[in-house]
Amino acid sequence: MTYLTNDPSDFVAEMLDGFVAVHGDTVSRVPGGVVRAHETPTGQVAVVIGGGSGHYPAFCGLVGPGLAHGAAMGEVFASPSAARVESVARAAHGDAGVLLSYGNYAGDVLNFDEAQERLRADGIDCRTVIVTDDVSSAPVEQWRTRRGVAGDLTVFKVAAAAAEKGLDLDAVVAIAERANERTRTMGVAFTGCTLPGATEPLFTVPRGRMGVGMGIHGEPGVSETDVPIADELAEMLVSTLLDEVPDGVERDGARVAPLVNGLGSIKNEELFLLYGAVARRLEAAGLTLVQPEVGELVTSFEMAGVSLTLFWLDDELERLWAAPASAPAYRKGVASSAHGVQRAAAVDAESAVDGDAAPESIETARMLSAMLATTARTIDAVADELGRLDAVAGDGDHGIGMQNGARAANEAAAKLSGTAGAESLLRAAGDAWADRAGGTSGALWGAMLREAGQVLGNDEAPDARRVSAAITAAVDAVEARGGAQLGDKTMVDALVPFAQTFEAEVSGGATVASAAHAASQAATHAAAATADLTPRRGRARTHTEKSIGTPDPGAHSFALIVTAIAAEFGDSTS
């Protein structure tokens, strides 16, 4: 369990404050994460990494000379929002462009891609290299869909070393891509982990058993077996990885950098013992071992588990892997001392609110604020249930992510209620939801609120048809950003029937209240029906058999929200 916390919703912010207080000579706090304490030198590419919190030293512990220039930090097990990524990237950027690099998870892809679009729109050359090293998460012919796990370190390290040498953005990207193509990881878990403030583990492994291929967020593994002795585990890990030598690599006489990673509770002594068994087998296979790493590199709170990464080197990658680095949680050789301009303290920007909203729109915004309060209360009551649903075939963070997002949106709306119009209030609420929730659901709920607000506007009280158009805009935003369609077993499977039913009711002359009631019933039925679907998107897609019989958490949470709103406001909407 996580023993030390205050308010769990403040866990990441308070952790980062303490981290920077310790390592202020190396890193500085900026909105959304941390950056190097000194500004990026002229002509140097900025390497910005990131992901959800709970994996230290990934990601903030890997910022410093010879390693990343910045790390965007999401909430626990949730990707950072696009706003956080953008903020960190802008702070880290010098004048030579930005490389974004992160593990391959749906929420990270959604949010980092949006941040990249914003940076490019502002004239900053920005590229992306996604890490896909987890061999258990997809077959080799689908390697680009694999998860990113401990192999993050190899890609981050050589990309940053290339940037430190002064290579341009094209060259840094090419090196990072080559490193990813030459990195393979396999992991196992003996126990689960517990999120801050939770009383029960996010997931469990039966006593005496081992989850093979389990992900760092508790994503189900590919199989389960009795816990082996160290030699047997080394044989399993090594043989699996040697069965998949990267294209273009001659195995005989190849040079590899092995990484034995502890996921949170396995002691260093055990990791060294395992490494000895791994090294013997790799050398017996004719490989030359180069600068191995053993320790906690990418963790999952107190999860008991280990992973083995093989980084297949060429001459250039070997030089970059061996290059000095000095970050709070990773040191190699003697990196040059911090140089350049000391970074000024960052200040959070205040959100702008449009003035001159019509009184009728301000009144509409009051009701929207009350609906967001209902949303927050609804999610507070079911957050644990949503987490359990998500843990069946996913990572179990849907409950806490929705809770963080709904609370933040409610707080942002409450501050503006009575002074802002509908569009301004929903834009602020959407930004707050996306930022605090992170992940896929955060990005999608944020987009829904913003797009709906844009249609409602600040100029008048919307009629039923305008409300319907706002809902349709929200659906379009989700489909465009997330890429999901009906039948993919996502929130879309409840959202589309809700919107279609609402539009049909309004077209038939129904009031907003009666249309919302009928639409919420349609959403509830559709959400329940997702139990029979097999997932085609998101983390659950690789574990379709585990997901069958359980409704999609995103569809279920949406249905609960709209049902609660329809019930509470049925008599006060027109």
Side-chain angles (χ1 to χ4, degrees):
M1 63 177 292
T2 304
Y3 292 94
L4 300 177
T5 188
N6 296 312
D7 183 339
S9 64
D10 294 330
F11 182 86
V12 173
E14 292 183 343
M15 177 276 292
L16 285 175
D17 288 342
F19 172 75
V20 172
V22 174
H23 298 292
D25 58 335
T26 304
V27 299
S28 294
R29 187 88 153 86
V30 296
V34 299
V35 293
R36 292 188 191 180
H38 293 77
E39 293 182 2
T40 301
T42 300
Q44 188 173 115
V45 173
V47 177
V48 174
I49 63 175
S53 297
H55 304 302
Y56 192 85
F59 297 88
C60 58
L62 303 178
V63 174
L67 249 169
H69 296 74
M73 299 297 296
E75 297 301 312
V76 173
F77 287 6
S79 72
S81 66
R84 294 190 188 189
V85 178
E86 180 187 8
S87 169
V88 173
R90 287 185 183 277
H93 179 238
D95 64 351
V98 174
L99 169 63
L100 302 177
S101 191
Y102 52 90
N104 187 29
Y105 299 94
D108 293 277
V109 173
L110 197 62
N111 284 295
F112 275 85
D113 277 358
E114 183 176 340
Q116 178 173 263
E117 291 173 9
R118 296 179 186 180
L119 294 166
R120 288 176 171 176
D122 206 28
I124 296 174
D125 194 357
C126 185
R127 317 283 182 82
T128 293
V129 174
I130 303 174
V131 183
T132 56
D133 61 305
D134 185 357
V135 301
S136 299
S137 56
V140 64
E141 55 272 16
Q142 299 173 23
W143 68 272
R144 291 188 182 277
T145 70
R146 287 175 168 174
R147 300 182 295 238
V149 284
D152 282 352
L153 178 62
T154 67
V155 178
F156 300 165
K157 172 64 177 64
V158 299
E164 206 81 26
K165 285 169 59 70
L167 275 64
D168 65 18
L169 185 55
D170 288 339
V172 172
V173 169
I175 285 167
E177 289 175 340
R178 193 160 83 249
N180 181 56
E181 292 166 2
R182 286 171 166 254
T183 300
R184 302 288 188 275
T185 299
M186 182 180 182
V188 299
F190 311 113
T191 68
C193 66
T194 308
L195 300 183
T199 58
E200 298 294 332
L202 180 63
F203 62 95
T204 60
V205 179
R207 187 175 180 83
R209 301 286 283 175
M210 178 178 75
V212 178
M214 183 168 282
I216 59 174
H217 308 94
E219 297 95 338
V222 295
S223 64
E224 190 179 280
T225 184
D226 289 338
V227 175
I229 63 173
D231 280 344
E232 293 169 342
L233 178 56
E235 181 63 32
M236 172 192 293
L237 296 173
V238 170
S239 62
T240 300
L241 294 184
L242 290 186
D243 280 344
E244 192 181 305
V245 178
D247 291 342
V249 174
E250 290 292 336
R251 175 172 151 175
D252 291 342
R255 305 188 306 283
V256 296
L259 288 70
V260 171
N261 173 54
L263 286 164
S265 289
I266 303 299
K267 302 301 294 181
N268 282 343
E269 292 88 341
E270 297 172 273
L271 297 178
F272 288 130
L273 185 152
L274 178 62
Y275 176 76
V278 165
R280 290 191 295 273
R281 284 161 175 77
L282 292 174
E283 289 171 342
L287 304 180
T288 299
L289 310 189
V290 178
Q291 296 204 0
E293 294 285 348
V294 176
E296 292 186 348
L297 308 172
V298 177
T299 63
S300 185
F301 279 111
E302 84 283 18
M303 179 176 175
V306 297
S307 65
L308 173 64
T309 300
L310 294 184
F311 181 25
W312 299 80
L313 302 167
D314 58 25
D315 290 343
E316 183 177 35
L317 292 176
E318 183 173 346
R319 287 193 297 271
L320 296 170
W321 177 244
S326 181
Y330 185 90
R331 286 178 169 79
K332 178 172 283 189
V334 181
S336 59
S337 58
H339 59 282
V341 179
Q342 183 75 28
R343 192 178 298 277
V347 178
D348 285 299
E350 292 290 331
S351 297
V353 176
D354 298 330
D356 301 325
E360 296 84 356
S361 183
I362 291 175
E363 190 57 36
T364 299
R366 287 184 191 273
M367 182 172 292
L368 292 169
S369 179
M371 290 178 178
L372 286 167
T374 297
T375 298
R377 289 193 300 272
T378 301
I379 295 301
D380 279 344
V382 298
D384 289 344
E385 175 196 352
L386 295 176
R388 287 191 294 271
L389 287 177
D390 194 32
V392 171
D395 59 4
D397 71 344
H398 185 69
I400 191 171
M402 288 290 291
Q403 190 172 49
N404 286 339
R407 286 178 175 179
N410 178 38
E411 291 169 3
K415 290 178 181 178
L416 298 178
S417 181
T419 60
E423 179 179 0
S424 296
L425 183 137
L426 287 181
R427 182 172 63 242
D431 288 345
W433 191 313
D435 187 58
R436 285 304 303 272
T440 303
S441 67
L444 297 182
W445 273 93
M448 279 200 294
L449 294 178
R450 288 191 296 266
E451 293 299 320
Q454 188 170 349
V455 173
L456 295 178
N458 288 326
D459 56 347
E460 62 183 356
D463 60 15
R465 290 189 178 277
R466 195 161 175 183
V467 172
S468 180
I471 294 171
T472 298
V475 175
D476 292 343
V478 169
E479 291 181 327
R481 290 177 183 272
Q485 299 176 342
L486 277 174
D488 283 348
K489 195 166 188 173
T490 69
M491 177 172 65
V492 167
D493 290 304
L495 181 57
V496 168
F498 177 86
Q500 290 175 341
T501 302
F502 191 96
E503 182 179 20
E505 292 289 315
V506 167
S507 296
T511 64
V512 169
S514 60
H517 178 71
S520 66
Q521 289 183 320
T524 298
H525 292 316
T530 62
D532 298 326
L533 299 176
T534 56
R536 296 199 293 255
R537 298 188 69 85
R539 291 175 183 166
R541 73 183 185 278
T542 57
H543 301 283
T544 56
E545 73 288 346
K546 295 179 182 293
S547 175
I548 296 174
T550 301
D552 175 70
H556 183 60
S557 60
F558 174 81
L560 291 174
I561 289 169
V562 294
T563 297
I565 290 174
E568 187 163 337
F569 295 90
D571 295 329
S572 58
T573 54
S574 59

